[in-house]
Amino acid sequence: MDAFAFLRRRTFLKLGVAGLAGLGVAGGGLVALRGSALAVGGLGVLDAHRFRTLLAIAEAQLPVEGAGAGAVCDRLARLFDGFLQGEHEENVGDLKTALLLVEYGPVIFERRLTTFSNLVPDQRRRHWRGWMESELAVRRQVSLAFRKFFHAVFFDDPAVWPQIGYPGPSLWGMPKEGATP
Amino acid sequence: MSAGAILDLSQDPRQSDRTVDVLVIGSGCAGATAARALARAGREVLVLEEGGDFTGEKLTQRDGRMYDQLYMDRSGRMTSDLSMSVLQGRVLGGSAVINASDVVPVSDELLRFWQKKYGLTDYGPEQLEPYRQRALADLRSSRIGDDQINRANRLLMEGAAKVGAKGEVMLNNRVGCRGLGTCLIGCPIGAKQNPRWVAIPEAVEAGATFLCRARAVRIEDGGAELKRVAVRVLDADGYHEVDGFTVKARVVILAANAIGSTHLALRSGLGNAHVGSNLSLQPQLGVVARFKEEVIPYRGIPQAFAVTEGERFDDERGLWGYRIEAIMGTPGIISALLPRVGPDVMTAMAAYNRIAASLVLVPDEPSGTVGVTKGGRVRIDYQHKDNHKERLREGAKLAARCYLAAGAYEVEIPTNHPVYVRSERDLAMIDAIPFDPCSAPLMSAHQQGGLRMAASEKDGACAPNGLLYGTRDVYCFDSGLYPSSSSSHTQAPILSTAHYLVERLLAKS
């Protein structure tokens, strides 16, 4: 998962400084904008703030709504955190940078005094769509990297398959004998 | 001669240092072919494979686990600007385990081009012919039968016929195929005649030993007769290094894919200034067509028919033009291809049973580099040239015309602002696709170059016999050697050149 390596070029720093300068926000102001995140147990790599951002991305990207949506996104975000435990530290660092960039996306790219996790769901989804359609390559890159991961695991769930008419792998339910030459 | 073995080192990580005649790094088409020939010739051969051994029920036909385990970097390997997904196998048997089982041998025309342009006088059609035949024999190559062509491929075929575009049913390396449809995440019934079922068992029988979950991290050449190779043992999932040992070998053969072999040479400080340059990625663009009728594209052979109308040969640049091939993937991959957010994802995927997809493949000029990050990881930089983009547009237009002629009500080029083609009038929109970085679903499945062979050290990283210039008996036998795109599918060319190179090595020693 070296999908965030492009952020090593100090893109975040450059974009961040430009965005924040426009708003006259810095240091403690940033922390205040982000607010506090509830403690989350069982995480291996991410802290509560970054996990909250990841969860918010999952909720914006995936086609889940209603009562069970939170649980689905929580499961997939935890899976992501689990994957990070096996990742090279360079990759983990890049991913953390990407999450920070998304969290402050409304500040940097839309000059709003709020952060991604604090947007209401409809606004968050609109903002997240803006990443995919952006003229800035870095935003498209972040959008694509998260989309690839979340879609691969979301659509791997047999509970989702009936919604798209997919009956599942062709060998499911077939006799196991003779399966290997 | 005693039989060798396939060992999973994650189950027995504490390994002693050892000395062998030949160490092969990588177990795919090149590595397995070399190991078999060398073991048969009586050499003590050890093969290192970073991935695991996946066969039968371990190939679950599911997105998550299989893309995580069978592909390099959990299938997340990309060019540094994220413009292109770089698909590369990481499993015993190599990328041939996860390819679409297409057989496109290297052509006479291409070999003559290499002779003329790159001075590879030893690579004439006559010299390579016996090895091309051996490759086809290894692959049990045959033409896909008419009764094996699924609806998605047939729609592309019918559309091509209606618009007057040339095409062909492809050669493949399947025996006993039951059309399970998940070739890209391995064949659980072993129908693919890839190294896992052909060269590797034969190499083991001849005495070669294959070590899975074993990552080579550094080669120390130093001009010595015995090279020292540092090896890390990985855990069962292949993502943590748990132990290590050293292998000393008289000969080291790099066969870890164009990118893997180049990366290892760079990390080891081996070779000349050409190491890492001249990388071809052969970009491929996804195109999705939607039909009112059911297509059920995920059953049957996913890639059976190719539109070859746009293929041509350029005297200056070799393999050129474009090619359109049907393809299909499991839901996770197809959905990731489509630029959608929230409920729109499900709206698009609701048509999963009624889509047909294809890839526009463009043989490129070598315009990429392989490098090493500060942390020692692979870095792939790639310059997406205007002529690549132009040919992708031409290919996408022809693919759209074929699908419309076959009855599609809509064809999507899934760029970040998707282009929908619903009639011939809409085709002009494809001309406006800029292919800016990370704006289109581009992928590479056939990496070549990085260790380009050349008659002189001034012009390339390796000699025509695979020897890495500046080393003593460190060779490259894989597609890293190729000076330009060898074919639209590299499996057969890699097998051919590996047969050729190992025979030359044996003749020398």
Side-chain angles (χ1 to χ4, degrees):
Chain A
M1 196 189 291
D2 54 357
F4 297 93
F6 55 91
L7 288 170
R8 281 173 213 156
R9 293 170 301 178
R10 297 186 177 274
T11 309
F12 173 68
L13 200 61
K14 282 188 283 185
L15 290 169
V17 167
L20 299 176
L23 280 171
V25 178
L30 276 178
V31 176
L33 275 183
R34 183 178 66 176
S36 59
L38 290 175
V40 185
L43 298 179
V45 175
L46 297 177
D47 60 25
H49 281 290
R50 289 197 170 89
F51 185 77
R52 187 177 68 159
T53 308
L54 184 64
L55 201 55
I57 293 171
E59 288 168 356
Q61 177 61 47
L62 292 172
V64 287
E65 285 173 312
V72 170
C73 292
D74 185 77
R75 181 176 69 80
L76 299 187
R78 284 177 185 279
L79 203 55
F80 198 113
D81 178 70
F83 279 163
L84 292 178
Q85 293 180 51
E87 281 298 318
H88 194 281
E89 62 184 50
E90 274 186 342
N91 296 344
V92 174
D94 295 336
L95 179 275
K96 286 180 175 175
T97 307
L99 287 172
L100 203 60
L101 188 60
V102 173
E103 185 61 22
Y104 288 105
V107 182
I108 297 168
F109 303 112
E110 295 177 353
R111 304 203 166 193
R112 299 168 70 172
L113 282 169
T114 187
T115 64
F116 185 67
S117 302
N118 288 316
L119 292 171
V120 298
D122 281 353
Q123 290 176 339
R124 194 188 296 154
R125 198 160 265 167
R126 270 201 300 279
H127 175 78
W128 182 241
R129 180 186 298 278
W131 284 73
M132 180 179 78
E133 296 174 345
S134 175
E135 294 302 308
L136 278 176
V138 65
R139 296 184 71 189
R140 298 195 299 269
Q141 289 163 330
V142 169
S143 164
L144 176 68
F146 283 113
R147 185 170 86 222
K148 281 181 70 172
F149 172 82
F150 280 124
H151 282 213
V153 291
F154 178 76
F155 282 101
D156 192 37
D157 182 356
V160 173
W161 297 342
Q163 297 176 60
I164 59 170
Y166 178 56
S170 42
L171 279 182
W172 276 36
M174 293 178 76
K176 290 177 180 173
E177 290 77 20
T180 308
Chain B
M1 178 193 335
S2 60
I6 297 171
L7 304 173
D8 178 355
L9 294 196
S10 70
Q11 303 303 307
D12 186 14
R14 301 212 63 177
Q15 295 287 313
S16 304
D17 295 348
R18 63 190 76 180
T19 301
V20 295
D21 295 328
V22 185
L23 179 68
V24 180
I25 299 168
S27 68
C29 287
T33 301
R36 177 179 57 187
L38 290 160
R40 283 175 172 169
R43 306 296 193 276
E44 188 181 1
V45 180
L46 189 65
V47 183
L48 304 179
E49 170 54 54
E50 190 172 320
D53 184 14
F54 283 80
T55 60
E57 290 173 17
K58 286 168 79 177
L59 294 165
T60 63
Q61 301 187 284
R62 299 272 298 270
D63 280 316
R65 173 84 177 150
M66 293 295 93
Y67 280 102
D68 181 85
Q69 285 295 303
L70 304 180
Y71 285 76
M72 193 60 77
D73 289 344
R74 306 177 191 270
S75 77
R77 177 162 283 185
M78 302 195 85
T79 53
S80 60
D81 66 354
L82 276 206
S83 286
M84 209 180 311
S85 178
V86 180
L87 302 172
Q88 184 186 335
R90 192 185 76 142
V91 57
L92 188 69
S95 297
V97 173
I98 44 97
N99 69 12
S101 290
D102 300 311
V103 177
V104 185
V106 60
S107 68
D108 287 2
E109 210 169 18
L110 191 280
L111 292 171
R112 286 193 202 100
F113 170 73
W114 281 2
Q115 285 189 301
K116 187 177 164 195
K117 176 149 185 175
Y118 300 105
L120 298 172
T121 51
D122 304 347
Y123 281 76
E126 301 75 21
Q127 285 132 309
L128 262 289
E129 182 53 20
Y131 308 99
R132 284 190 291 198
Q133 292 305 321
R134 286 186 205 175
L136 295 178
D138 273 347
L139 292 164
R140 281 70 162 151
S141 172
S142 65
R143 188 77 56 188
I144 292 169
D146 188 65
D147 60 340
Q148 293 179 294
I149 298 171
N150 72 4
R151 184 74 188 133
N153 277 270
R154 202 167 288 285
L155 285 165
L156 182 62
M157 184 191 293
E158 289 170 1
K162 284 180 181 168
V163 302
K166 263 191 317 191
E168 66 182 22
V169 176
M170 298 172 75
L171 288 173
N172 79 148
N173 59 315
R174 297 174 179 87
V175 174
C177 175
R178 284 156 57 187
L180 304 182
T182 47
C183 309
L184 303 185
I185 45 177
C187 179
I189 60 167
K192 276 188 199 177
Q193 304 302 293
N194 60 40
R196 179 60 190 88
W197 297 118
V198 182
I200 291 174
E202 292 170 1
V204 169
E205 192 183 341
T209 297
F210 289 74
L211 303 181
C212 296
R213 300 304 187 197
R215 173 189 287 159
V217 293
R218 186 172 175 82
I219 303 165
E220 290 177 18
D221 172 49
E225 183 183 356
L226 283 178
K227 279 133 268 298
R228 293 166 56 90
V229 180
V231 183
R232 298 280 183 268
V233 177
L234 306 176
D235 65 2
D237 276 349
Y239 290 104
H240 295 96
E241 294 179 351
V242 292
D243 214 323
F245 62 102
T246 301
V247 179
K248 292 179 187 171
R250 287 177 180 78
V251 172
V252 174
I253 295 173
L254 300 172
N257 163 290
I259 289 167
S261 294
T262 306
H263 178 229
L264 184 55
L266 286 168
R267 281 190 75 169
S268 305
L270 298 178
N272 62 22
H274 292 287
V275 174
S277 57
N278 300 308
L279 179 71
S280 289
L281 289 179
Q282 235 177 45
Q284 301 185 50
L285 168 71
V287 175
V288 177
R290 297 188 176 87
F291 292 82
K292 290 193 172 137
E293 80 225 41
E294 281 212 324
V295 178
I296 315 291
Y298 45 80
R299 296 287 193 255
I301 292 175
Q303 195 160 71
F305 181 76
V307 179
T308 56
E309 178 72 24
E311 276 190 319
R312 61 191 176 86
F313 202 86
D314 185 288
D315 289 341
E316 289 300 311
R317 294 176 284 201
L319 207 56
W320 208 245
Y322 61 85
R323 180 180 172 100
I324 303 162
E325 297 177 341
I327 191 63
M328 192 55 197
T330 34
I333 293 305
I334 293 298
S335 67
L337 186 76
L338 300 172
R340 303 289 195 280
V341 165
D344 293 346
V345 174
M346 202 53 93
T347 305
M349 287 302 288
Y352 185 55
N353 281 334
R354 293 178 282 110
I355 63 174
S358 60
L359 291 167
V360 178
L361 182 153
V362 169
D364 53 342
E365 292 178 90
S367 57
T369 59
V370 179
V372 184
T373 68
K374 281 182 187 165
R377 307 274 289 166
V378 172
R379 179 185 169 101
I380 304 163
D381 289 294
Y382 186 76
Q383 190 190 351
H384 198 27
K385 296 196 167 189
D386 286 345
N387 72 63
H388 304 164
K389 297 175 186 177
E390 189 50 44
R391 286 179 287 143
L392 286 173
R393 292 184 195 105
E394 289 303 312
K397 282 193 286 189
L398 181 55
R401 289 181 62 222
C402 291
Y403 283 129
L404 289 176
Y409 66 85
E410 176 179 274
V411 181
E412 177 179 348
I413 317 301
T415 49
N416 67 324
H417 294 283
V419 171
Y420 298 103
V421 178
R422 297 185 177 103
S423 73
E424 294 261 342
R425 285 193 307 277
D426 298 333
L427 289 171
M429 290 191 293
I430 295 175
D431 288 324
I433 298 175
F435 290 110
D436 290 333
C438 203
S439 65
L442 297 177
M443 62 196 83
S444 160
H446 313 122
Q447 304 91 39
Q448 296 162 83
L451 294 171
R452 170 189 277 185
M453 59 180 163
S456 155
E457 194 168 356
K458 294 198 305 288
D459 301 321
C462 288
N465 67 353
L467 179 72
L468 185 60
Y469 283 126
T471 70
R472 177 175 174 182
D473 292 329
V474 178
Y475 294 83
C476 173
F477 275 13
D478 62 29
S479 61
L481 291 172
Y482 297 160
S484 72
S485 280
S486 59
S487 157
S488 55
H489 293 274
T490 46
Q491 172 175 247
I494 294 170
L495 282 168
S496 304
T497 48
H499 273 293
Y500 181 47
L501 291 163
V502 74
E503 195 160 291
R504 290 179 69 164
L505 178 65
L506 283 166
K508 179 189 163 199
S509 57

